Amino acid sequence: MKRLPSNLSADDLRTYRRWTGGLYLSYLAAIIVAVALTFSNRPATELKASNEIQMARLKGSSASIDIPAAAKPVAKP
């Protein structure tokens, strides 16, 4: 690990510490936002059911579109 130069004045050392502290806080904030976005998004299965409902509404099918496709009974031929 690289050491700080010993010839920094007190003001320079304070500025250096603020810069590095701000940099670490920026990285921490970016990581927290990335994790929050990852866990707040819905799983893909819910997205698929939502897309099926939207497609049924667009097509204007006569079937009830308020019930998700996964909840409807499937008739076997």
Side-chain angles (χ1 to χ4, degrees):
M1 188 168 163
K2 190 175 181 179
R3 296 185 58 149
L4 287 173
S6 59
N7 60 353
L8 288 177
S9 69
D11 289 336
D12 290 340
L13 188 57
R14 188 177 309 120
T15 302
Y16 173 79
R17 286 183 179 156
R18 284 186 181 179
W19 264 99
T20 54
L23 186 65
Y24 285 125
L25 286 176
S26 298
Y27 284 141
L28 180 64
I31 290 170
I32 289 172
V33 167
V35 168
L37 286 174
T38 300
F39 286 112
S40 67
N41 286 331
R42 295 184 299 177
T45 55
E46 290 179 17
L47 291 174
K48 183 179 178 185
S50 175
N51 287 340
E52 289 175 358
I53 293 170
Q54 289 176 0
M55 289 302 293
R57 287 181 180 154
L58 288 174
K59 289 181 181 177
S61 67
S62 60
S64 175
I65 57 177
D66 294 333
I67 301 172
K72 291 182 184 178
V74 177
K76 294 184 179 179

